[in-house]
Amino acid sequence: MCRNIRQLHNFEPPATSDEVRAAALQYVRKVSGSTKPSQANAEAFARAVDEVAHATAHLLDALVTQAPPKDREVEAARARARSAERYGRTG
């Protein structure tokens, strides 16, 4: 999975449409191999982002879990700690 695509399921508050769209954009960029499509491909690229965002929103709405929702700040702090450990950074 692309490292820039973040988990969106089971957070409080739930993922926003902007977060869903950002994940869709990252996915389409990864699959297409380009961060900015040519003019000839711009329409297909934009349509793909819309469709992936739509499918993602439906997926998130349909998923169920018994686990308590995660806190975004706590998860971000854990990610920073993992990154610091992985890359040998302090603070």
Side-chain angles (χ1 to χ4, degrees), residues 5-55:
I5 299 175
R6 303 291 179 228
Q7 179 178 342
L8 300 177
H9 175 61
N10 198 28
F11 278 98
E12 191 57 48
T16 66
S17 59
D18 287 341
E19 290 171 314
V20 170
R21 185 154 184 84
L25 177 61
Q26 287 299 323
Y27 175 80
V28 172
R29 283 177 173 170
K30 185 70 167 189
V31 170
S32 69
S34 67
T35 57
K36 186 173 186 335
S38 65
Q39 280 186 325
N41 294 323
E43 185 178 330
F45 192 91
R47 187 173 52 250
V49 171
D50 290 342
E51 291 173 1
V52 170
H54 183 76

Side-chain angles (χ1 to χ4, degrees), residues 1 3 17 26 37 39 42 56 59 82:
M1 180 190 270
R3 283 181 273 181
S17 59
Q26 287 299 323
Q39 280 186 325
T56 301
L59 172 64
R82 284 191 306 270

